[in-house]
Amino acid sequence: MKPYFAEFLGTFWLVLGGCGSAVLAAAFPELGIGLLGVSLAFGLTVLTMAFAIGHISGCHLNPAVSIGLWLGGRFSANQLLPYIVAQVLGGITAGAVLYAIASGAPGFDVSAGFAANGYGEHSPGGYTLGAALITEIVMTMFFLIVILGATDKLAPQGFAGLPIGLALTLIHLISIPVTNTSVNPARSTGVAVFVGDWAVAQLWAFWLAPIAGAALGALAYKAIQPRMA
């Protein structure tokens, strides 16, 4: 059970740290951290957890990553469902804690977004469903390529958390205006269930696209993967 609990805690930290920075700090009067700060926050959650629990569970924190690692031959099929359940529960628990904190401020309105992912009128930049799907697929694809490459036995050992965390930061810098950046169904679910309404109605896209992107990333890395002599 230890790897599953580690995934629960790690995903909790990712959603609380990443979405919490967006909800609580992004636009804080005069001292807001903005999109750059939110992007860094997501990257830092993965970086810190990679060193904290990477040796326990592999630090997936993301159903799409677990599926991509399975397709890439790096993860056992019999652990896949328990990992995904642990990740989603961690995300929802973090969403509940974030809701409890955020609702303590005057004028809090969960329907304003609560860091939920969306497309169309619920995209930060008004991007279409097609643009959102392409963005999430491509970003998750390259995230998996970075993960698989950084954790390859031929890669420098002990540093994988750095490129993976930086990759997630870069992904957010690119795609927050399009979808608020998911690349992670557990992250999307963790806040969508508290927004309800449109966020839940659009949640399918933020499961489908990251999983499709992860599968493409696994296939792409297999195509370029170096072979040990």
Side-chain angles (χ1 to χ4, degrees), residues 170-208:
L170 176 59
I171 286 167
H172 279 78
L173 288 172
I174 297 167
S175 60
I176 286 177
V178 183
T179 61
N180 234 3
T181 308
S182 171
V183 302
N184 185 339
R187 168 261 189 269
S188 299
T189 304
V191 291
V193 295
F194 294 93
V195 178
D197 192 25
W198 64 266
V200 172
Q202 295 191 354
L203 186 57
W204 67 271
F206 302 103
W207 275 84
L208 177 64

Side-chain angles (χ1 to χ4, degrees), residues 60-148:
H60 300 185
L61 318 185
N62 182 336
V65 168
S66 295
I67 292 170
L69 291 174
W70 167 60
L71 292 172
R74 303 281 190 87
F75 189 58
S76 170
N78 62 7
Q79 289 184 291
L80 189 57
L81 182 58
Y83 262 56
I84 292 173
V85 171
Q87 292 155 0
V88 172
L89 290 177
I92 292 173
T93 305
V97 171
L98 180 57
Y99 182 89
I101 295 169
S103 61
F108 169 69
D109 180 10
V110 71
S111 66
F114 199 55
N117 302 113
Y119 54 82
E121 64 178 313
H122 301 294
S123 156
Y127 287 83
T128 64
L129 170 60
L133 291 174
I134 293 170
T135 299
E136 291 291 326
I137 290 170
V138 173
M139 295 299 148
T140 315
M141 174 182 170
F142 277 90
F143 193 36
L144 259 293
I145 292 172
V146 171
I147 291 170
L148 289 165

